[in-house]
Amino acid sequence: MNSTNDEKVNLTAEYHSYMTDAITHSVMLDRDKCKGCTNCIKHCPTEAIRVRDGHARIENKRCIDCGECIRACQYKAKKAIYDRFEDFADYKYKIALPAPSLYGQFEEVNDLDAMLSALVELGFDDVFEVARAAEMVSEYTRKYLERNDSLPSPVISSACPVIVRLISIRYPLLLDNILPVMPPIEVAARVARKEALEKHPELSDEDICVLFISPCPAKASYVKNPLGVKKSAVSGVLSIGEMFFKMRAAMKTMREEKVQAQSGIIGISWAGTSGEASALFNEKYLAADGIENVIKVLDEIDNGNIRNLDFVELNACNGGCVGGVLNVENPYIAKARLQTLRRYLPVSLNRMGDQRLDSYEWDSLPEPEPVSKLSDDRHEAMRMMREIVAITHTLPGIDCGSCGAPTCRALAEDIVKGRAVADDCVFMMRDKLLKQCASLTQTEEKGETT
Amino acid sequence: MLAACFTKTDCPEVVCSMADFVRLEYDIDGENFTSAGEASVKVKRSLRQMGFDPETIRKVSVSMYEGEINMVIHADGGKATVDIYDDRIVIVLADRGPGIPDIDLAMQAGYSTAPDNIRSLGFGAGMGLPNMAKYTDEMKIESEVGVGTTVTMVVKV
Ligand SMILES: Nc1ncnc2c1ncn2[C@@H]1O[C@H](COP(=O)(O)OP(=O)(O)OP(=O)(O)O)[C@@H](O)[C@H]1O
Ligand code: SF4
Ligand SMILES: [Mg+2]
């Protein structure tokens, strides 16, 4: 059913570790390839990874599918799980939803029509550009910012699922700030289904499959665990990396261009940082990219230190969606190509029109998920915290990572939670051994003298 | 009161069982302006782990952040001690800086002696102390010119 970047994954591999709960992630570990090197643990922004017994483990409820560990692993032991086109052969009507970042992958492309037509050549019945939905979301956002003076400020983009999940686990007070409209991928899927049913009255909704061609694993997780909506209208998520090669081959043999691109500068610009924000025609915005930067910005907003901003666009990946791990091209090169591509395009080709975007507002706000909470009982949590602080002070404090935890503090937390022991620390172990040696030699010496 | 003391230098062996509160301590480095504000981020994280409500956490982290920045800008750093009880959080910020000659004046919104190079970073609006008073349930400033300043703040849960 599933495949990965370079090969089929051994699905007996440990699928997201010891915390089994409702969330199904797209980022997972290929246990056979993991060498237990501890390289990844320091790159995870939520401290979700531990190396234990020579292998990495990802704590399910902490993982936000940012893909940082995939970037960090030199053994390619971290994988993104996504769907394969072949698995949807049974559907009568297949719609491709290409992400705007896909457009920046092709060196030879100066014609969007050819690129989109390749998708039909590969077996899709129709193509709906996510860039079109992005233009609608931009229009919605402009109106939303105008109509509401009493909004929690600043309004934070809802487009990147990593950010929405990060906010739900770490910044519960900022959940109200998130733009309450579905992300372009979801709007695209819903409008595409509607248009298909109008064009082909003989079809029913179950006959249609909508497949997003994605730059990142987080979108695959989003579809399985939607945020703000009960069920996603997207049926599956394919990887840009895999589709890229198929599309390029199809473009060479293709005789006829069957699809016309329908997005403007605004929609295509969503592929890179500040594309979304600049489409608001309001200079009171901030656009940050890269997960570390994003966390800094969220900390500042959470502390009330960022004032006089109307809108904040946050992208987990460097450079925005063109920086997603499933892309083939360097993000900056892709972005430069997009600049050429969008050159003679109209500013925007998609208005809300009769697509009333109110019907694309979220069903409900994403729930806060305080994953770092030590215990539901305050006194127990405080007792644990006292122990954590005490143990942290006995550890060397150099955050070397040899124990398999990203920091000494994280090891202390694991010890208190019963998931590790002090001897996991190589320095504690060494001290203990040295003491044992010393007492041994002492007893030996005593033995010799008597 | 000194049932829990977690400073490395003072007493590495800690008696945790007697304490009914959690003490977090931080040295605020006055030399290193770029790290100003880090202690309040750490406090925030610990409070979250203990399950305090987001509103309380925000009050503590905002007021502590302002006090921490003041210690760095106006007093070459100092020491922050945060005692966490289940019904209140007590923040004590103590420095050996120049002291505040007129506390009432310093408390006025808009009053600031921050130097220009700091103002260009967005500090120096003279809003720190008023914000600290606003976000906490109790606040006390003890200061002696040439000796130092101690700010004690209490946030009730
Ligand atoms: N710890 C301290 N030691 C010495 N002087 C202080 C201390 N804290 C505050 N002050 C004095 O009180 C004044 C007002 O402080 P307050 O925090 O309200 O404003 P600010 O720090 O100047 O600007 P802002 O906090 O808005 O960036 C300061 O300018 C400074 O003169
Ligand atoms: S995908 Fe991101 S959050 Fe999840 S384990 Fe990897 S680095 Fe951590
Ligand atoms: Mg101040």
mmCIF file of all heavy atoms in Angstrom, chain A residues 128-160:
data_model
loop_
_atom_site.group_PDB
_atom_site.id
_atom_site.type_symbol
_atom_site.label_atom_id
_atom_site.label_comp_id
_atom_site.label_asym_id
_atom_site.label_seq_id
_atom_site.Cartn_x
_atom_site.Cartn_y
_atom_site.Cartn_z
ATOM 1 N N PHE A 128 -6.665 19.568 -10.545
ATOM 2 C CA PHE A 128 -7.102 20.799 -9.889
ATOM 3 C C PHE A 128 -5.908 21.369 -9.137
ATOM 4 O O PHE A 128 -5.393 20.757 -8.205
ATOM 5 C CB PHE A 128 -8.268 20.538 -8.919
ATOM 6 C CG PHE A 128 -8.910 21.806 -8.424
ATOM 7 C CD1 PHE A 128 -10.087 22.277 -8.990
ATOM 8 C CD2 PHE A 128 -8.315 22.553 -7.409
ATOM 9 C CE1 PHE A 128 -10.666 23.461 -8.544
ATOM 10 C CE2 PHE A 128 -8.885 23.740 -6.964
ATOM 11 C CZ PHE A 128 -10.061 24.197 -7.533
ATOM 12 N N GLU A 129 -5.455 22.539 -9.577
ATOM 13 C CA GLU A 129 -4.263 23.113 -8.957
ATOM 14 C C GLU A 129 -4.565 23.613 -7.547
ATOM 15 O O GLU A 129 -5.504 24.388 -7.360
ATOM 16 C CB GLU A 129 -3.757 24.296 -9.785
ATOM 17 C CG GLU A 129 -3.326 23.928 -11.185
ATOM 18 C CD GLU A 129 -3.107 25.198 -11.991
ATOM 19 O OE1 GLU A 129 -2.043 25.814 -11.809
ATOM 20 O OE2 GLU A 129 -3.998 25.576 -12.756
ATOM 21 N N VAL A 130 -3.739 23.210 -6.595
ATOM 22 C CA VAL A 130 -3.915 23.713 -5.231
ATOM 23 C C VAL A 130 -3.668 25.226 -5.206
ATOM 24 O O VAL A 130 -4.238 25.956 -4.398
ATOM 25 C CB VAL A 130 -2.995 22.961 -4.241
ATOM 26 C CG1 VAL A 130 -3.088 23.548 -2.850
ATOM 27 C CG2 VAL A 130 -3.386 21.482 -4.203
ATOM 28 N N ALA A 131 -2.858 25.707 -6.147
ATOM 29 C CA ALA A 131 -2.621 27.148 -6.254
ATOM 30 C C ALA A 131 -3.929 27.920 -6.447
ATOM 31 O O ALA A 131 -4.071 29.052 -5.991
ATOM 32 C CB ALA A 131 -1.661 27.430 -7.413
ATOM 33 N N ARG A 132 -4.891 27.286 -7.128
ATOM 34 C CA ARG A 132 -6.189 27.962 -7.312
ATOM 35 C C ARG A 132 -6.878 28.152 -5.969
ATOM 36 O O ARG A 132 -7.387 29.230 -5.659
ATOM 37 C CB ARG A 132 -7.094 27.122 -8.223
ATOM 38 C CG ARG A 132 -6.642 27.077 -9.666
ATOM 39 C CD ARG A 132 -7.611 26.254 -10.498
ATOM 40 N NE ARG A 132 -8.974 26.783 -10.415
ATOM 41 C CZ ARG A 132 -10.055 26.120 -10.826
ATOM 42 N NH1 ARG A 132 -9.940 24.904 -11.336
ATOM 43 N NH2 ARG A 132 -11.243 26.668 -10.731
ATOM 44 N N ALA A 133 -6.898 27.076 -5.180
ATOM 45 C CA ALA A 133 -7.524 27.171 -3.856
ATOM 46 C C ALA A 133 -6.764 28.168 -2.987
ATOM 47 O O ALA A 133 -7.359 28.885 -2.180
ATOM 48 C CB ALA A 133 -7.544 25.800 -3.192
ATOM 49 N N ALA A 134 -5.441 28.226 -3.177
ATOM 50 C CA ALA A 134 -4.638 29.167 -2.396
ATOM 51 C C ALA A 134 -5.084 30.600 -2.684
ATOM 52 O O ALA A 134 -5.176 31.433 -1.777
ATOM 53 C CB ALA A 134 -3.158 28.985 -2.722
ATOM 54 N N GLU A 135 -5.402 30.875 -3.938
ATOM 55 C CA GLU A 135 -5.875 32.227 -4.272
ATOM 56 C C GLU A 135 -7.206 32.524 -3.602
ATOM 57 O O GLU A 135 -7.465 33.642 -3.168
ATOM 58 C CB GLU A 135 -5.959 32.390 -5.797
ATOM 59 C CG GLU A 135 -4.580 32.306 -6.423
ATOM 60 C CD GLU A 135 -4.528 32.645 -7.910
ATOM 61 O OE1 GLU A 135 -5.594 32.689 -8.560
ATOM 62 O OE2 GLU A 135 -3.409 32.863 -8.404
ATOM 63 N N MET A 136 -8.042 31.503 -3.505
ATOM 64 C CA MET A 136 -9.324 31.703 -2.812
ATOM 65 C C MET A 136 -9.082 31.960 -1.328
ATOM 66 O O MET A 136 -9.714 32.832 -0.724
ATOM 67 C CB MET A 136 -10.207 30.464 -2.970
ATOM 68 C CG MET A 136 -10.622 30.197 -4.399
ATOM 69 S SD MET A 136 -11.557 28.654 -4.450
ATOM 70 C CE MET A 136 -11.600 28.374 -6.204
ATOM 71 N N VAL A 137 -8.173 31.180 -0.736
ATOM 72 C CA VAL A 137 -7.877 31.374 0.689
ATOM 73 C C VAL A 137 -7.288 32.772 0.914
ATOM 74 O O VAL A 137 -7.618 33.443 1.898
ATOM 75 C CB VAL A 137 -6.932 30.271 1.224
ATOM 76 C CG1 VAL A 137 -6.461 30.582 2.638
ATOM 77 C CG2 VAL A 137 -7.627 28.917 1.196
ATOM 78 N N SER A 138 -6.478 33.246 -0.030
ATOM 79 C CA SER A 138 -5.927 34.599 0.091
ATOM 80 C C SER A 138 -7.050 35.631 0.109
ATOM 81 O O SER A 138 -7.030 36.566 0.903
ATOM 82 C CB SER A 138 -4.983 34.909 -1.071
ATOM 83 O OG SER A 138 -3.766 34.224 -0.898
ATOM 84 N N GLU A 139 -8.022 35.428 -0.774
ATOM 85 C CA GLU A 139 -9.125 36.378 -0.800
ATOM 86 C C GLU A 139 -9.932 36.323 0.498
ATOM 87 O O GLU A 139 -10.294 37.346 1.077
ATOM 88 C CB GLU A 139 -10.045 36.091 -1.995
ATOM 89 C CG GLU A 139 -11.115 37.157 -2.136
ATOM 90 C CD GLU A 139 -12.065 36.899 -3.307
ATOM 91 O OE1 GLU A 139 -11.756 36.053 -4.152
ATOM 92 O OE2 GLU A 139 -13.113 37.563 -3.348
ATOM 93 N N TYR A 140 -10.171 35.093 0.969
ATOM 94 C CA TYR A 140 -10.882 34.932 2.236
ATOM 95 C C TYR A 140 -10.138 35.673 3.350
ATOM 96 O O TYR A 140 -10.739 36.396 4.143
ATOM 97 C CB TYR A 140 -10.996 33.441 2.578
ATOM 98 C CG TYR A 140 -11.562 33.194 3.959
ATOM 99 C CD1 TYR A 140 -12.929 33.003 4.155
ATOM 100 C CD2 TYR A 140 -10.725 33.163 5.075
ATOM 101 C CE1 TYR A 140 -13.451 32.795 5.418
ATOM 102 C CE2 TYR A 140 -11.241 32.964 6.344
ATOM 103 C CZ TYR A 140 -12.600 32.778 6.513
ATOM 104 O OH TYR A 140 -13.102 32.584 7.772
ATOM 105 N N THR A 141 -8.827 35.486 3.389
ATOM 106 C CA THR A 141 -8.033 36.081 4.472
ATOM 107 C C THR A 141 -8.101 37.606 4.427
ATOM 108 O O THR A 141 -8.243 38.257 5.456
ATOM 109 C CB THR A 141 -6.558 35.628 4.373
ATOM 110 O OG1 THR A 141 -6.520 34.225 4.150
ATOM 111 C CG2 THR A 141 -5.803 35.940 5.650
ATOM 112 N N ARG A 142 -8.007 38.179 3.220
ATOM 113 C CA ARG A 142 -8.113 39.643 3.107
ATOM 114 C C ARG A 142 -9.430 40.125 3.692
ATOM 115 O O ARG A 142 -9.474 41.074 4.464
ATOM 116 C CB ARG A 142 -8.017 40.065 1.633
ATOM 117 C CG ARG A 142 -6.607 40.034 1.075
ATOM 118 C CD ARG A 142 -6.508 40.805 -0.239
ATOM 119 N NE ARG A 142 -7.254 40.163 -1.327
ATOM 120 C CZ ARG A 142 -6.755 39.248 -2.153
ATOM 121 N NH1 ARG A 142 -5.499 38.863 -2.030
ATOM 122 N NH2 ARG A 142 -7.482 38.717 -3.101
ATOM 123 N N LYS A 143 -10.514 39.432 3.347
ATOM 124 C CA LYS A 143 -11.832 39.841 3.855
ATOM 125 C C LYS A 143 -11.925 39.620 5.359
ATOM 126 O O LYS A 143 -12.484 40.437 6.087
ATOM 127 C CB LYS A 143 -12.938 39.050 3.145
ATOM 128 C CG LYS A 143 -12.940 39.319 1.655
ATOM 129 C CD LYS A 143 -14.352 39.318 1.089
ATOM 130 C CE LYS A 143 -14.383 40.038 -0.247
ATOM 131 N NZ LYS A 143 -14.642 39.165 -1.380
ATOM 132 N N TYR A 144 -11.374 38.492 5.812
ATOM 133 C CA TYR A 144 -11.429 38.151 7.237
ATOM 134 C C TYR A 144 -10.722 39.229 8.061
ATOM 135 O O TYR A 144 -11.223 39.685 9.077
ATOM 136 C CB TYR A 144 -10.763 36.791 7.439
ATOM 137 C CG TYR A 144 -10.739 36.280 8.866
ATOM 138 C CD1 TYR A 144 -11.873 35.713 9.444
ATOM 139 C CD2 TYR A 144 -9.568 36.332 9.621
ATOM 140 C CE1 TYR A 144 -11.839 35.223 10.738
ATOM 141 C CE2 TYR A 144 -9.535 35.851 10.922
ATOM 142 C CZ TYR A 144 -10.674 35.292 11.472
ATOM 143 O OH TYR A 144 -10.633 34.815 12.761
ATOM 144 N N LEU A 145 -9.567 39.647 7.594
ATOM 145 C CA LEU A 145 -8.810 40.654 8.338
ATOM 146 C C LEU A 145 -9.537 41.991 8.351
ATOM 147 O O LEU A 145 -9.460 42.743 9.309
ATOM 148 C CB LEU A 145 -7.410 40.831 7.740
ATOM 149 C CG LEU A 145 -6.443 39.660 7.924
ATOM 150 C CD1 LEU A 145 -5.130 39.920 7.207
ATOM 151 C CD2 LEU A 145 -6.188 39.378 9.392
ATOM 152 N N GLU A 146 -10.255 42.283 7.268
ATOM 153 C CA GLU A 146 -10.993 43.549 7.205
ATOM 154 C C GLU A 146 -12.213 43.543 8.107
ATOM 155 O O GLU A 146 -12.490 44.497 8.806
ATOM 156 C CB GLU A 146 -11.504 43.788 5.778
ATOM 157 C CG GLU A 146 -10.546 44.556 4.916
ATOM 158 C CD GLU A 146 -10.971 44.491 3.461
ATOM 159 O OE1 GLU A 146 -12.193 44.401 3.189
ATOM 160 O OE2 GLU A 146 -10.073 44.498 2.602
ATOM 161 N N ARG A 147 -12.946 42.418 8.068
ATOM 162 C CA ARG A 147 -14.259 42.451 8.703
ATOM 163 C C ARG A 147 -14.156 42.368 10.222
ATOM 164 O O ARG A 147 -15.038 42.796 10.931
ATOM 165 C CB ARG A 147 -15.133 41.348 8.120
ATOM 166 C CG ARG A 147 -15.323 40.137 8.989
ATOM 167 C CD ARG A 147 -16.097 39.042 8.343
ATOM 168 N NE ARG A 147 -15.548 37.793 8.880
ATOM 169 C CZ ARG A 147 -15.672 36.621 8.328
ATOM 170 N NH1 ARG A 147 -16.292 36.488 7.209
ATOM 171 N NH2 ARG A 147 -15.154 35.556 8.895
ATOM 172 N N ASN A 148 -13.070 41.806 10.738
ATOM 173 C CA ASN A 148 -12.987 41.594 12.174
ATOM 174 C C ASN A 148 -11.965 42.496 12.833
ATOM 175 O O ASN A 148 -10.778 42.320 12.638
ATOM 176 C CB ASN A 148 -12.603 40.149 12.463
ATOM 177 C CG ASN A 148 -13.800 39.228 12.401
ATOM 178 O OD1 ASN A 148 -14.813 39.506 13.016
ATOM 179 N ND2 ASN A 148 -13.661 38.158 11.672
ATOM 180 N N ASP A 149 -12.429 43.460 13.625
ATOM 181 C CA ASP A 149 -11.486 44.301 14.354
ATOM 182 C C ASP A 149 -11.091 43.663 15.661
ATOM 183 O O ASP A 149 -10.040 43.934 16.214
ATOM 184 C CB ASP A 149 -12.114 45.667 14.656
ATOM 185 C CG ASP A 149 -12.365 46.422 13.371
ATOM 186 O OD1 ASP A 149 -11.662 46.130 12.392
ATOM 187 O OD2 ASP A 149 -13.268 47.274 13.364
ATOM 188 N N SER A 150 -11.950 42.796 16.149
ATOM 189 C CA SER A 150 -11.716 42.250 17.486
ATOM 190 C C SER A 150 -11.016 40.897 17.443
ATOM 191 O O SER A 150 -11.109 40.108 18.363
ATOM 192 C CB SER A 150 -13.046 42.100 18.196
ATOM 193 O OG SER A 150 -13.902 41.300 17.405
ATOM 194 N N LEU A 151 -10.313 40.625 16.335
ATOM 195 C CA LEU A 151 -9.627 39.347 16.212
ATOM 196 C C LEU A 151 -8.478 39.265 17.197
ATOM 197 O O LEU A 151 -7.840 40.264 17.495
ATOM 198 C CB LEU A 151 -9.028 39.221 14.813
ATOM 199 C CG LEU A 151 -9.978 39.041 13.663
ATOM 200 C CD1 LEU A 151 -9.195 39.051 12.367
ATOM 201 C CD2 LEU A 151 -10.706 37.735 13.829
ATOM 202 N N PRO A 152 -8.183 38.058 17.686
ATOM 203 C CA PRO A 152 -6.945 37.913 18.444
ATOM 204 C C PRO A 152 -5.800 38.253 17.487
ATOM 205 O O PRO A 152 -5.786 37.768 16.371
ATOM 206 C CB PRO A 152 -6.905 36.439 18.824
ATOM 207 C CG PRO A 152 -8.145 35.807 18.309
ATOM 208 C CD PRO A 152 -8.881 36.796 17.477
ATOM 209 N N SER A 153 -4.909 39.091 17.917
ATOM 210 C CA SER A 153 -3.886 39.553 16.982
ATOM 211 C C SER A 153 -2.525 39.005 17.385
ATOM 212 O O SER A 153 -2.238 38.887 18.565
ATOM 213 C CB SER A 153 -3.902 41.081 17.024
ATOM 214 O OG SER A 153 -2.660 41.604 16.719
ATOM 215 N N PRO A 154 -1.670 38.629 16.448
ATOM 216 C CA PRO A 154 -1.914 38.588 15.013
ATOM 217 C C PRO A 154 -2.638 37.300 14.612
ATOM 218 O O PRO A 154 -2.625 36.329 15.344
ATOM 219 C CB PRO A 154 -0.492 38.573 14.452
ATOM 220 C CG PRO A 154 0.304 37.835 15.482
ATOM 221 C CD PRO A 154 -0.312 38.186 16.807
ATOM 222 N N VAL A 155 -3.236 37.327 13.417
ATOM 223 C CA VAL A 155 -3.829 36.117 12.859
ATOM 224 C C VAL A 155 -2.696 35.254 12.303
ATOM 225 O O VAL A 155 -1.781 35.753 11.656
ATOM 226 C CB VAL A 155 -4.829 36.490 11.739
ATOM 227 C CG1 VAL A 155 -5.289 35.260 10.982
ATOM 228 C CG2 VAL A 155 -6.024 37.230 12.336
ATOM 229 N N ILE A 156 -2.739 33.963 12.604
ATOM 230 C CA ILE A 156 -1.671 33.050 12.170
ATOM 231 C C ILE A 156 -2.203 32.135 11.072
ATOM 232 O O ILE A 156 -3.306 31.592 11.191
ATOM 233 C CB ILE A 156 -1.157 32.207 13.359
ATOM 234 C CG1 ILE A 156 -0.622 33.124 14.471
ATOM 235 C CG2 ILE A 156 -0.080 31.231 12.915
ATOM 236 C CD1 ILE A 156 -0.234 32.392 15.749
ATOM 237 N N SER A 157 -1.416 31.963 10.032
ATOM 238 C CA SER A 157 -1.818 31.129 8.896
ATOM 239 C C SER A 157 -2.136 29.697 9.319
ATOM 240 O O SER A 157 -1.493 29.138 10.202
ATOM 241 C CB SER A 157 -0.682 31.112 7.874
ATOM 242 O OG SER A 157 -0.830 30.001 7.014
ATOM 243 N N SER A 158 -3.120 29.091 8.654
ATOM 244 C CA SER A 158 -3.484 27.707 8.970
ATOM 245 C C SER A 158 -2.955 26.733 7.925
ATOM 246 O O SER A 158 -3.276 25.554 7.939
ATOM 247 C CB SER A 158 -5.011 27.587 9.020
ATOM 248 O OG SER A 158 -5.569 27.945 7.761
ATOM 249 N N ALA A 159 -2.113 27.218 7.006
ATOM 250 C CA ALA A 159 -1.765 26.402 5.842
ATOM 251 C C ALA A 159 -0.813 25.251 6.152
ATOM 252 O O ALA A 159 -0.958 24.172 5.609
ATOM 253 C CB ALA A 159 -1.161 27.282 4.754
ATOM 254 N N CYS A 160 0.168 25.468 7.019
ATOM 255 C CA CYS A 160 1.170 24.426 7.265
ATOM 256 C C CYS A 160 0.719 23.560 8.438
ATOM 257 O O CYS A 160 0.617 24.030 9.566
ATOM 258 C CB CYS A 160 2.533 25.060 7.563
ATOM 259 S SG CYS A 160 3.803 23.845 8.006
#
